[in-house]
Amino acid sequence: MPKVDIVILGAGAAGMMCALEAGRRGRRVVLLDHAERVGKKILISGGGRCNFTNIHCRAENFLSENPHFAKSALARFTPQDFVAMVERHGIRYHEKTLGQLFCDRSAHDIITMLERECAEAGVRILVGAKVTSVVREGRFQVRTAETIFESEALVVATGGLSIPRMGATGLGYSLAEQFGLRIIPCRPGLVPLVFSAEDRDHWCDLAGVSAEVVADARTRQGRGTFREKMLVTHRGLSGPAILQVSSYWRPGEAIEVDLAPDILVTAPLLARNARRDSAAAVLALRAVLPARMAERWVALHQPEDWTNASLAAMEQLLHTWKMMPAGTEGYAKAEVTAGGVDTAELDAKTMQSRKISGLYFIGEVVDVTGWLGGYNFQWAWASGASAGRAV
Ligand SMILES: Cc1cc2nc3c(=O)[nH]c(=O)nc-3n(C[C@H](O)[C@H](O)[C@H](O)COP(=O)(O)OP(=O)(O)OC[C@H]3O[C@@H](n4cnc5c(N)ncnc54)[C@H](O)[C@@H]3O)c2cc1C
């Protein structure tokens, strides 16, 4: 039975970062993954260019039952720390928008960097390793089809449930349950929303049309308001503004969309002697919406009369369109899994379980979910580094 100091389950972003930090400290680390290669989600991220961090990253950019939990790890390993590693490896990158850093060339560069760092730190990586059981009898015993590893510490970095075809499984959550740790119920995050049957009839033939909007969703844990693009799809709404609010959205609640941020659309119709009819309304709306969307909006919402009061009501509706989604596109299309191992179970500095000494949870499996824009990788690096320096 091979004896090591640390077994890490999951060779994704968080697991590799934890492994290289622990390995640098001279710890004997084995990193296991059931997939045939490491970091598959890194490869597909950011459209193949990996939005590897966000230079404006703060705890406010994350959802969690405890909004303060992420602060400690995010301060221990900052975007600048990751950028320093990227620069050390000569990887060229650029800021796309809103502090989002992407590789110039390919997400492969990030994987190669992490693999090199792990190799230099003496980390043993085993891919194609199916974990069949984990027990703790003094030390941890991790059984795979081929071997049983014995270790003093176990780090769970198996990610969330999103994109099962990329190797996502619920192992992290079942291990948390096995060891008696509470889990905040999981739900798909950063995911397209699906229309009700009525809205589908109204909008879905416009699939592909997009507009800049302000989308807003409120929950008990907070409120997400995002001014970005919204895209009509064959089943509902997507685009960055909608993906962002989807993480806040809960079934049975509406999201609110301002279709004409900062603009008084009906102003031209209110001018002296101006025409007041649907053609004039479409023309005014085309200042902010694509023509087809403007025409559809007016067809659905034009008033019976064109009085000042009716125009005011139409203006109000344009800025507070309440859309009641029937659901989401689910884990198959979600970029992340919200919810996960309750942060109250973990030490914020080390990510170690408060109940089970030597057991750590890092990355997406924890109830910390970032906004779109490089925040989720920054959480993976930061929580991985924090655990790797402590374990
Ligand atoms: C399409 C897409 C694009 C994205 N783009 C971005 C982006 O540009 N920027 C950003 O910040 N975030 C992005 N994300 C989110 C980001 O990829 C994740 O938040 C991040 O990868 C989480 O890191 P992790 O290490 O916790 O989990 P993962 O990266 O998912 O790694 C988990 C690892 O555990 C392994 N594993 C799972 N189950 C088992 C098991 N039973 N046995 C053994 N191993 C197992 C998996 O094979 C995987 O290698 C994107 C996500 C998707 C789906």
Side-chain angles (χ1 to χ4, degrees):
M1 191 185 299
K3 286 201 170 80
V4 292
D5 297 321
I6 305 153
V7 170
I8 302 175
L9 300 181
M16 283 200 277
M17 179 55 81
C18 178
L20 68 90
E21 286 282 350
R24 280 179 192 163
R25 293 171 43 238
R27 307 286 274 154
R28 289 173 303 163
V29 183
V30 167
L31 180 55
L32 300 179
D33 202 295
H34 70 157
E36 71 287 356
R37 60 156 308 151
V38 301
K40 282 173 80 174
K41 269 200 192 154
I42 298 175
L43 269 187
I44 59 163
S45 68
R49 290 230 163 90
C50 186
N51 177 195
F52 53 79
T53 193
N54 191 302
I55 50 175
H56 306 308
C57 185
R58 303 175 57 191
E60 288 73 17
N61 307 119
F62 295 84
L63 290 85
S64 172
E65 287 281 313
N66 176 359
H68 303 292
F69 179 82
K71 283 182 184 164
S72 177
L74 293 173
R76 263 156 228 283
F77 190 89
T78 64
Q80 289 68 33
D81 291 326
F82 194 77
V83 168
M85 191 190 290
V86 165
E87 289 180 350
R88 233 178 19 252
H89 284 259
I91 298 172
R92 289 205 312 273
Y93 63 91
H94 60 278
E95 178 181 346
K96 196 167 170 190
T97 174
L98 304 169
Q100 302 168 8
L101 302 190
F102 284 75
C103 297
D104 282 0
R105 220 175 58 91
S106 159
H108 275 283
D109 291 345
I110 299 292
I111 306 243
T112 307
M113 172 186 86
L114 294 169
E115 282 178 324
R116 281 194 188 139
E117 290 277 341
C118 281
E120 276 167 27
V123 175
R124 201 170 143 209
I125 301 181
L126 294 177
V127 290
K130 304 234 174 318
V131 177
T132 53
S133 72
V134 174
V135 292
R136 182 169 178 262
E137 284 161 5
R139 291 162 68 86
F140 290 93
Q141 287 182 9
V142 178
R143 187 185 289 265
T144 67
E146 286 83 30
T147 323
I148 306 174
F149 293 95
E150 202 184 279
S151 64
E152 65 189 53
L154 177 70
V155 182
V156 182
T158 44
L161 299 167
S162 317
I163 323 277
R165 72 187 157 76
M166 297 303 294
T169 73
L171 179 66
Y173 308 108
S174 38
L175 285 174
E177 274 171 358
Q178 179 186 328
F179 287 104
L181 275 64
R182 192 168 164 255
I183 291 173
I184 305 298
C186 293
R187 58 186 197 281
L190 299 180
V191 64
L193 297 173
V194 174
F195 278 141
S196 65
E198 191 188 0
D199 279 333
R200 204 161 46 236
D201 289 347
H202 287 158
W203 295 106
C204 282
D205 60 318
L206 302 189
V209 170
S210 72
E212 186 180 307
V213 302
V214 174
D216 183 270
R218 295 159 214 216
T219 66
R220 200 159 50 80
Q221 287 89 8
R223 175 177 180 179
T225 305
F226 300 92
R227 182 173 183 152
E228 290 191 66
K229 287 260 184 213
M230 175 186 86
L231 171 75
V232 179
T233 73
H234 291 289
R235 285 167 48 81
L237 291 175
S238 186
I242 298 302
L243 297 180
Q244 296 280 31
V245 290
S246 74
S247 299
Y248 289 83
W249 177 75
R250 300 299 160 92
E253 291 173 2
I255 62 161
E256 196 172 285
V257 180
D258 181 348
L259 290 164
D262 302 334
I263 291 184
L264 192 61
V265 177
T266 53
L269 283 79
L270 291 166
R272 216 176 213 279
N273 299 328
R275 264 178 62 190
R276 290 187 176 191
D277 56 20
S278 56
V282 170
L283 194 64
L285 246 183
R286 282 179 60 175
V288 282
L289 294 180
R292 290 169 69 208
M293 202 185 259
E295 283 160 15
R296 184 61 50 83
W297 177 269
V298 172
L300 290 170
H301 299 289
Q302 63 184 312
E304 283 178 9
D305 55 44
W306 292 87
T307 59
N308 286 359
S310 298
L311 286 178
M314 189 171 135
E315 183 77 46
Q316 167 82 4
L317 195 60
L318 266 169
H319 297 287
T320 55
W321 179 39
K322 291 206 171 32
M323 202 282 271
M324 181 72 84
T328 74
E329 295 271 7
Y331 290 116
K333 294 275 173 67
E335 271 197 24
V336 287
T337 301
V341 176
D342 189 345
T343 57
E345 301 279 4
L346 306 175
D347 179 272
K349 287 191 188 131
T350 63
M351 311 303 294
Q352 183 171 201
S353 159
R354 294 184 185 280
K355 283 184 196 138
I356 313 282
S357 146
L359 179 63
Y360 296 74
F361 287 84
I362 56 174
E364 199 177 312
V365 72
V366 178
D367 171 36
V368 174
T369 306
W371 290 1
L372 191 74
Y375 301 101
N376 285 294
F377 277 134
Q378 188 55 38
W379 169 245
W381 315 133
S383 58
S386 298
R389 290 168 185 175
V391 67

